[in-house]
Amino acid sequence: MNNQLLERKLNYTETKKNPLNLSLLTVIILLFLSIITVWWLIPTKDPYVEQVLSFQGNIERGGAIFQVNCAGCHGINANGNVGPSLKDVSKHKSEVQIINQVVSGKTPPMPKFQPSPEDMADLLSYLRQLNK
């Protein structure tokens, strides 16, 4: 009987003295929470953007789309008017940023514009050539 009490006391004392179990559990929980947080913050790919980028884009068609939808604010030669100049826009914004700028409507007075993915690819190729 004494041995059993002594053994229980020793096991309890060893568990109490060994903070490694608690520290390891804390580290595992923090690691798990960190992984979930990072996974949540990583942007998911936008199917529209992915589809736009899958097209080659036609500069001539993009120019026509620009003249009809964009030239009123950005000027016939994209030098700016009500909207800013778009010359060298590809040097300042990535293709994804340009696509999001065009379709979002988040920068008034620019309206939300939702071209088909192929039309957006054409417009993008036209804007890209404005750097040349």
Side-chain angles (χ1 to χ4, degrees):
M1 183 83 161
N2 257 350
N3 281 343
Q4 287 178 340
L5 287 175
L6 183 60
E7 193 174 313
R8 279 188 193 164
K9 189 174 182 180
L10 283 173
N11 283 340
Y12 176 75
T13 306
E14 284 176 16
T15 305
K16 195 173 182 181
K17 285 182 182 177
N18 189 357
L20 185 61
N21 292 338
L22 184 58
S23 296
L24 184 60
L25 182 60
T26 303
V27 168
I28 289 171
I29 290 171
L30 289 174
L31 183 62
F32 178 73
L33 291 174
S34 298
I35 289 170
I36 287 176
T37 303
V38 167
W39 178 77
W40 191 263
L41 293 175
I42 293 175
T44 55
K45 293 188 178 195
D46 182 340
Y48 175 79
V49 171
E50 293 295 313
Q51 196 172 8
V52 168
L53 295 176
S54 73
F55 289 105
Q56 177 82 27
N58 179 297
I59 294 173
E60 290 77 29
R61 283 194 64 224
I65 293 167
F66 181 87
Q67 293 305 316
V68 170
N69 296 285
C70 313
C73 292
H74 293 285
I76 292 177
N77 295 317
N79 289 324
N81 191 8
V82 175
S85 169
L86 296 177
K87 298 288 183 173
D88 297 329
V89 70
S90 294
K91 290 181 181 177
H92 307 288
K93 290 186 178 256
S94 70
E95 290 183 336
V96 173
Q97 288 173 319
I98 293 170
I99 294 167
N100 288 328
Q101 179 80 38
V102 170
V103 300
S104 75
K106 291 183 180 176
T107 52
M110 186 165 165
K112 191 174 191 177
F113 177 52
Q114 291 289 325
S116 71
E118 189 172 5
D119 286 348
M120 184 65 225
D122 294 340
L123 180 59
L124 195 58
S125 78
Y126 173 76
L127 294 173
R128 250 188 259 122
Q129 67 86 33
L130 292 174
N131 294 338
K132 297 174 183 175

